[in-house]
Amino acid sequence: MELILAVDLADGLVVHGKSGDRASYRPLTWGIAPSAEPEAYVSALAPRYLYIADLDSLQGRTPQDDLVRRCAARVERCYLDRGCRSPAECTAVVGVTPVVGTETAARAIEDLAAYEAGYLSIDVQRGRVLPWGIRPAEMLARASALSFEGCIILNIGAVGTERGLVQEDLEEMRACYPGRLLYGGGVAGIDDIHLLDDAGFDGVIVATAVHHGTIPIEWIRRGYPC
């Protein structure tokens, strides 16, 4: 199972996200972060795998593509959510794995069929998929017929909270989708990593727990749990 370090970029800095309240995000200068300057941050933490959310682009501002490229060059694989609103936007940054978020990618679920690559991020707030209000398990079942390389369950409301995971929910979601499946949001520590592994997930996206020391930085550098 991949362990992937999440990096939220806003105004050229690494910021700490919590509960999806983007207006409250502040530069990440605590924990084991030596600097909120993205390249210095990525170099110091030295993850094997990286997940970048370009919050500027997600909110309709100028994408930080050059900065993303420089950060992506420092890792083995970089997943990038830049708020794609069309398939053409997903190819703007070469050398990354594009992430297509339900929050921005399509007006109707059926429109997701136009995307032929990358990972589908099933963006969840208060237990429902944005913007359509269906359950994550239902969205995963529908995603099985689409052409994505895999899916990400991104619990936006739980990001940065370390609230922990529920085994039954994980098992239900895993049963609904046969392809590669990653999870992000609310992961509290090693016990949650084991829950995801036992449930059959292929990867987990983490950040806050790494800075609090409940997930060893060595695991992030290795790219998988011990």
Side-chain angles (χ1 to χ4, degrees), residues 18-221:
K18 188 171 182 180
S19 303
D21 181 13
R22 291 171 181 155
S24 70
Y25 289 10
R26 296 292 180 268
L28 205 170
T29 55
W30 51 272
I32 58 174
S35 166
E37 195 284 313
E39 290 178 87
Y41 178 90
V42 174
S43 293
L45 271 63
R48 182 174 183 179
Y49 306 118
L50 192 62
Y51 168 98
I52 295 177
D54 181 347
L55 300 183
D56 287 7
S57 186
L58 275 160
Q59 296 176 94
R61 301 196 296 269
T62 302
Q64 304 171 92
D65 292 344
D66 288 341
L67 179 56
V68 167
R69 289 188 191 96
R70 295 197 300 271
C71 291
R74 298 176 182 272
V75 299
E76 184 174 315
R77 181 184 303 119
C78 179
Y79 301 87
L80 171 64
D81 185 350
R82 65 193 298 273
C84 293
R85 292 167 175 82
S86 70
E89 290 187 19
C90 290
T91 61
V93 181
V94 177
V96 302
T97 298
V99 173
V100 178
T102 61
E103 180 184 6
T104 60
R107 292 186 177 181
I109 294 174
E110 293 74 17
D111 296 338
L112 293 172
Y115 293 87
E116 298 181 352
Y119 275 65
L120 176 65
S121 178
I122 298 175
D123 301 328
V124 179
Q125 188 74 276
R126 291 183 290 277
R128 297 287 169 168
V129 176
L130 298 174
W132 303 298
I134 64 175
R135 296 178 63 249
E138 181 182 348
M139 186 67 238
L140 282 167
R142 298 186 68 163
S144 299
L146 301 173
S147 300
F148 293 101
E149 300 166 49
C151 285
I152 301 168
I153 295 292
L154 185 61
N155 190 345
I156 295 174
V159 165
T161 66
E162 298 176 285
R163 68 175 55 163
L165 309 180
V166 178
Q167 180 179 356
E168 292 77 12
D169 293 345
L170 300 177
E171 291 174 347
E172 178 188 24
M173 289 186 286
R174 177 70 273 188
C176 290
Y177 185 71
R180 282 182 55 80
L181 185 58
L182 315 181
Y183 186 94
V187 177
I190 290 174
D191 288 346
D192 283 341
I193 298 290
H194 291 321
L195 278 180
L196 287 159
D197 199 12
D198 291 345
F201 279 71
D202 298 288
V204 54
I205 301 166
V206 294
T208 303
V210 176
H211 287 284
H212 284 156
T214 54
I215 294 175
I217 184 62
E218 291 79 13
W219 289 18
I220 294 297
R221 290 171 175 163

